[in-house]
Amino acid sequence: MNKDSNSIVKAFLDGEENLTDVVSTRIYCPRLIEGAVLPAISFFIRGGSNNPHIPGLVEPSIQFDCWASSPEGARAAYNALYDVLQGVQREVVTIDSTDYIIWSAIEEVQGQDLVDVEIPKYFRVLTFFKFIIKAI
């Protein structure tokens, strides 16, 4: 694969109007920027595997943090993310004239409501999705 999985997932999410209606362009990888306007989403690969039998096929597990200034706002961002990702199948993403396909995205861990003790007034919902991605 030419691009890393983070770039492919970011390009896909940036094009999903149902998600950007909630968080606008505030989708960050690998973490939330300092002083970010909320609501926002940050994500990064936390692990996964490559398939040795199918070159270019990767199966990353991605952590998503859905941030807002209230628990309800964080949950709304999570719900929008969930609706966009859960059950995705065969979505083509084009980056620099190369096509990649997200074969699937499935939630591994249901959204967990958390209060960030280090950053006052920042609430988040934490979730994990497993992807299957391949260059085509």
Side-chain angles (χ1 to χ4, degrees), residues 91-109:
E91 290 289 335
V92 176
V93 177
T94 303
I95 302 173
D96 300 329
S97 301
T98 301
D99 290 335
Y100 302 89
I101 189 163
I102 299 175
W103 282 107
S104 69
I106 299 170
E107 189 176 47
E108 294 178 293
V109 177

Side-chain angles (χ1 to χ4, degrees), residues 22-108:
V22 176
V23 299
S24 185
T25 59
R26 298 180 298 271
I27 302 171
Y28 302 102
C29 181
R31 60 186 67 240
L32 197 66
I33 63 170
E34 187 173 337
V37 173
L38 301 178
I41 291 176
S42 60
F43 72 94
F44 60 90
I45 294 174
R46 68 180 188 128
S49 62
N50 295 321
N51 187 317
H53 306 290
I54 305 173
L57 184 84
V58 294
E59 299 180 16
S61 174
I62 298 180
Q63 175 177 325
F64 290 91
D65 293 282
C66 303
W67 299 89
S69 56
S70 71
E72 298 80 14
R75 181 55 64 170
Y78 162 74
N79 288 338
L81 177 71
Y82 179 89
D83 289 346
V84 164
L85 288 180
Q86 179 64 19
V88 160
Q89 293 185 17
R90 297 181 294 280
E91 290 289 335
V92 176
V93 177
T94 303
I95 302 173
D96 300 329
S97 301
T98 301
D99 290 335
Y100 302 89
I101 189 163
I102 299 175
W103 282 107
S104 69
I106 299 170
E107 189 176 47
E108 294 178 293

